[in-house]
């Protein structure tokens, strides 16, 4: 190696660029951090002061970030250097799992206000929890307290009509075919307002389950 090459190598080390070569997959790691926090490129741009186009090129390994850019990423994203340099998680191959639940064969879990039927109960380590519910409650006063649990919930009305009460919103009337997605750690309660008990399909997921 010539003296000139030695000097170039020293400058790369001093500038912080040497650790950020292709094998570290910095662009892929940056994208992983961004998606884990549900940030858009615009969000990261606002946090770091780096242009969206620059961030996109970094994520797609079209450019290597300068030492200054790395400092802005660490500061703006509130992470440390080791976090940024951690190798992206290896994508696991799908195992092709499945769990069939025939009509009426779910795990029954009745309560004073709801009659739940838990679905896909044989499958372990699910990222979603699906269940069908017959809404027995007819008045909000039948609930001793708000229903709340960690994560998020998707709900669709299969039969009848309901009134959805929630902690931060006015009551919402939902009919067959309507659906709603909400943070389930927000207090909520369902009441049937149709002649027959309403039936709803719900899918819950823990906050850290995506």
């Amino acid at each position: 190696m010539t003296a000139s090459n030695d000097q170039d190598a020293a400058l790369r080390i001093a500038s912080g660029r040497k650790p950020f070569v292709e094998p570290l997959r910095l662009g892929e790691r940056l994208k992983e951090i961004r998606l884990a926090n549900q940030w858009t490129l615009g969000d990261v741009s606002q946090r770091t002061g780096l242009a969206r186009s620059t961030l996109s090129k970094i994520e797609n390994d079209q450019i290597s970030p300068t030492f200054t850019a790395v400092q802005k990423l660490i500061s703006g994203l509130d992470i440390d250097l080791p976090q940024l340099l951690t190798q992206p998680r290896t994508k696991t191959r799908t195992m092709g799992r499945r769990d069939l639940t025939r009509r009426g064969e779910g795990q029954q879990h009745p309560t004073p206000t709801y009659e739940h039927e838990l679905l896909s109960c044989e499958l372990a380590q699910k990222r979603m929890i699906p269940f069908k519910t017959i809404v027995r409650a007819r008045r909000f006063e039948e609930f001793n307290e708000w229903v709340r649990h960690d994560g998020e919930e998707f709900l669709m009305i299969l039969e009848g009509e309901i009134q959805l009460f929630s902690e931060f919103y006015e009551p919402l009337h939902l009919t067959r075919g309507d659906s709603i997605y909400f943070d389930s750690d927000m207090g909520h309660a369902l009441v049937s307002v149709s002649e027959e008990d309403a039936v709803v399909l719900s899918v819950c997921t823990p906050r850290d389950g995506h």
Side-chain angles (χ1 to χ4, degrees):
M1 180 179 289
T2 65
S4 177
N5 287 337
D6 284 339
Q7 187 179 30
D8 288 342
L11 288 174
R12 286 198 298 273
I13 295 173
S15 69
R17 284 181 288 160
K18 185 175 181 181
F20 313 129
V21 294
E22 176 71 17
L24 287 175
R25 297 155 61 194
L26 178 60
E28 189 177 342
R29 174 59 178 157
L30 174 59
K31 186 173 182 179
E32 182 180 69
I33 293 172
R34 177 172 66 80
L35 295 179
N37 287 279
Q38 299 182 343
W39 291 330
T40 64
L41 285 173
D43 294 332
V44 177
S45 178
Q46 289 183 345
R47 288 171 173 271
T48 62
L50 296 171
R52 291 177 59 180
S53 58
T54 299
L55 293 168
S56 178
K57 290 177 181 178
I58 292 174
E59 286 191 359
N60 290 288
D61 292 323
Q62 295 175 354
I63 61 172
S64 295
T66 63
F67 179 62
T68 300
V70 170
Q71 286 182 313
K72 289 182 177 180
L73 288 171
I74 293 171
S75 175
L77 302 183
D78 194 25
I79 59 177
D80 55 30
L81 187 59
Q83 284 178 281
L84 188 61
L85 298 183
T86 300
Q87 289 285 11
R89 285 176 290 183
T90 302
K91 295 181 180 179
T92 56
R93 182 175 60 85
T94 179
M95 295 185 293
R97 302 183 303 166
R98 74 177 200 179
D99 185 1
L100 172 66
T101 304
R102 296 289 186 184
R103 181 175 180 176
E105 293 183 0
Q107 187 178 102
Q108 301 297 325
H109 183 69
T111 73
T113 50
Y114 300 142
E115 188 172 321
H116 298 302
E117 181 185 359
L118 304 183
L119 310 174
S120 301
C121 298
E122 298 300 318
L123 197 61
Q125 298 181 335
K126 296 189 294 289
R127 295 185 180 182
M128 300 181 293
I129 303 172
F131 56 96
K132 186 169 65 174
T133 300
I134 299 174
V135 182
R136 300 295 191 193
R138 290 290 172 167
R139 297 179 301 111
F140 177 70
E141 290 73 20
E142 295 181 42
F143 294 87
N144 295 323
E145 58 184 359
W146 286 113
V147 177
R148 65 174 83 242
H149 45 88
D150 291 339
E152 302 171 348
E153 181 171 344
F154 171 81
L155 181 151
M156 174 175 277
I157 315 306
L158 300 181
E159 299 176 21
E161 302 177 17
I162 69 163
Q163 197 86 358
L164 170 62
F165 293 87
S166 55
E167 194 171 8
F168 306 127
Y169 298 92
E170 291 296 318
L172 187 62
H173 185 83
L174 299 172
T175 64
R176 182 178 179 181
D178 290 343
S179 63
I180 188 168
Y181 192 107
F182 57 92
D183 290 323
S184 48
D185 52 4
M186 171 179 65
H188 57 281
L190 307 180
V191 171
S192 285
V193 294
S194 50
E195 183 176 345
E196 71 279 10
D197 290 337
V199 180
V200 303
L201 174 67
S202 296
V203 180
C204 297
T205 177
R207 182 74 66 183
D208 61 352
H210 40 79

